[in-house]
Amino acid sequence: MKKKKINSNNLLLLITIVLFFVMYAAGCIVYADKGFTRFQTFLNILINNAGLICITAGMTCVMLTGGIDISVGSLVAMDCMILAVGIEQWGWSSPVLMLLILAIGIIFGIVQGFCISYLEIQPFIVTMAGMFFARGLTALISSDMISIENPTFLSLANYRIYFGFITYYNNRGVAMHPYIYLSVVIALLVVAISFVILRYTKFGRAVFAVGGNEQSALLMGLNPKVTKLKVYVLNGFLASLAGFAFCLNSCGGFVEQARGFEMDAIAAAVIGGTLLTGGVGTVVGSLFGSLIKGIIETIITFQGTLSSWWTRIVIALLLCFFVILQSVFKSIREKRLAQGNEK
């Protein structure tokens, strides 16, 4: 029984992790002379994808129940615009605005989760309405690009956490220490807490049960509607937290910000081993899925002559590959179940 579980549920995760290390090793070999091997290069991948990692953690929880949420990118854009306009034009403090956007994310999750779980409207339709609403509201707040110049916020955004025990030398021979920003700390904490919730709590077990088979979950005494509602509330909260992390990197807000973020999150979750049908997945795999996207972008940047659109092409190919793998594993699992029932 244990062997079967490892083969069906964890093999996709293993493939994702191996793929990440293979791509990273390839980058280190090919672009070693350009500084790809520096630890800071890896940390830059985390820095550039901190917001995506937060969103992917929430998206993984939603997909585990068999749902989807395509509104998170627009919610991030709205959060960034509220932060930018609130700080620069309304004169509000950063902590108050952060609490405001987190509250907005929770409200988003409650409304969408209620429509999906209790009114039984398709998640795609509900979250598409949420996407249009958030993007439109972002434009109503301001159609201009607003840069945050507040010294307090900029000091928070530019605060570096150094790894003083690691030293490397730049092209001028100056000793440097690798560093990360606060956004990376937020992203990694989100992954760690989400992992603990899904693996070690009653709520996490309910999420997997509902995604695996809703009827079986009912027979187990679980309430799928309540579980789905909680998942979308959690996802809305994490999406707004991702908006804050994203704003720490961009230090501004504009209408087209984070466009396509929801698709990147879905792709990262699928590449990380989360089944589109629900019931199987892990935020650790989604983390590596996000990092794979970052590795591809970094390799293209170091190459220097390729268009950034190659990132989309490679991600599309990987997505198709992992969807096919999911289909193959599902067929194998169904055949084994059928053989077991015959015996």
Side-chain angles (χ1 to χ4, degrees):
M1 181 64 69
K2 186 177 180 180
K3 183 178 180 182
K4 182 179 177 181
K5 182 178 179 181
I6 292 174
N7 289 337
S8 61
N9 295 353
N10 297 338
L11 187 55
L12 282 172
L13 173 60
L14 179 62
I15 293 173
T16 302
I17 295 174
V18 170
L19 178 62
F20 167 75
F21 283 109
V22 167
M23 295 178 69
Y24 186 75
C28 290
I29 294 171
V30 177
Y31 302 110
D33 58 332
K34 295 184 179 181
F36 197 99
T37 56
R38 292 172 181 167
F39 187 48
Q40 186 60 55
T41 300
F42 172 75
L43 294 180
N44 286 341
I45 296 173
L46 287 173
I47 292 171
N48 295 333
N49 293 278
L52 177 61
I53 292 171
C54 291
I55 282 187
T56 306
M59 187 68 73
T60 301
C61 297
V62 169
M63 292 174 65
L64 283 172
T65 63
I68 203 77
D69 189 347
I70 61 171
S71 68
V72 288
S74 298
L75 183 57
V76 166
M78 186 174 69
D79 291 336
C80 290
M81 183 63 78
I82 291 174
L83 284 169
V85 172
I87 292 174
E88 294 300 318
Q89 297 182 7
W90 301 343
W92 291 16
S93 65
S94 300
V96 172
L97 287 168
M98 183 179 176
L99 291 175
L100 175 62
I101 64 173
L102 291 178
I104 290 174
I106 292 173
I107 293 172
F108 243 74
I110 292 173
V111 173
Q112 294 188 148
F114 178 81
C115 292
I116 292 167
S117 59
Y118 286 90
L119 301 184
E120 298 183 355
I121 306 174
Q122 287 295 323
F124 183 84
I125 300 300
V126 172
T127 57
M128 182 171 63
M131 176 184 68
F132 290 148
F133 177 81
R135 190 69 66 174
L137 192 57
T138 303
L140 285 179
I141 295 172
S142 178
S143 58
D144 299 325
M145 180 175 179
I146 309 296
S147 297
I148 299 177
E149 300 177 356
N150 179 271
T152 303
F153 186 87
L154 290 180
S155 64
L156 187 65
N158 295 324
Y159 181 77
R160 294 181 177 182
I161 302 171
Y162 286 95
F163 294 83
F165 56 91
I166 301 176
T167 304
Y168 69 94
Y169 295 89
N170 61 14
N171 297 331
R172 298 179 180 179
V174 179
M176 306 287 290
H177 297 292
Y179 61 87
I180 56 174
Y181 291 111
L182 182 61
S183 58
V184 176
V185 177
I186 294 174
L188 295 180
L189 283 175
V190 165
V191 171
I193 295 173
S194 300
F195 176 80
V196 171
I197 290 175
L198 289 175
R199 190 177 181 104
Y200 298 107
T201 66
K202 182 179 179 181
F203 168 68
R205 290 188 290 272
V207 169
F208 281 100
V210 170
N213 191 309
E214 193 166 323
Q215 293 302 319
S216 297
L218 279 170
L219 294 175
M220 293 167 59
L222 300 175
N223 190 330
K225 292 183 178 181
V226 172
T227 300
K228 289 181 180 179
L229 176 61
K230 290 180 180 180
V231 163
Y232 279 93
V233 172
L234 175 63
N235 181 57
F237 174 81
L238 293 181
S240 284
L241 194 59
F244 178 70
F246 193 90
C247 195
L248 286 175
N249 285 348
S250 64
C251 292
F254 59 97
V255 177
E256 298 300 315
Q257 200 166 25
R259 184 172 290 277
F261 234 40
E262 59 281 347
M263 299 306 170
D264 290 336
I266 294 170
V270 172
I271 292 173
T274 302
L275 296 187
L276 293 169
T277 53
V280 175
T282 170
V283 290
V284 175
S286 299
L287 169 63
F288 278 97
S290 302
L291 293 179
I292 285 175
K293 174 183 176 292
I295 284 286
I296 296 170
E297 290 175 337
T298 304
I299 289 175
I300 289 174
T301 300
F302 273 78
Q303 200 280 334
T305 60
L306 293 176
S307 168
S308 60
W309 285 104
W310 276 101
T311 301
R312 298 293 181 184
I313 295 173
V314 176
I315 289 294
L317 294 174
L318 287 176
L319 189 57
C320 290
F321 172 72
F322 277 91
V323 168
I324 292 172
L325 279 182
Q326 288 184 7
S327 179
V328 171
F329 290 152
K330 181 180 179 182
S331 298
I332 293 173
R333 190 161 52 245
E334 289 176 350
K335 288 181 180 179
R336 287 179 175 176
L337 288 173
Q339 291 174 357
N341 291 332
E342 290 177 359
K343 293 179 180 180

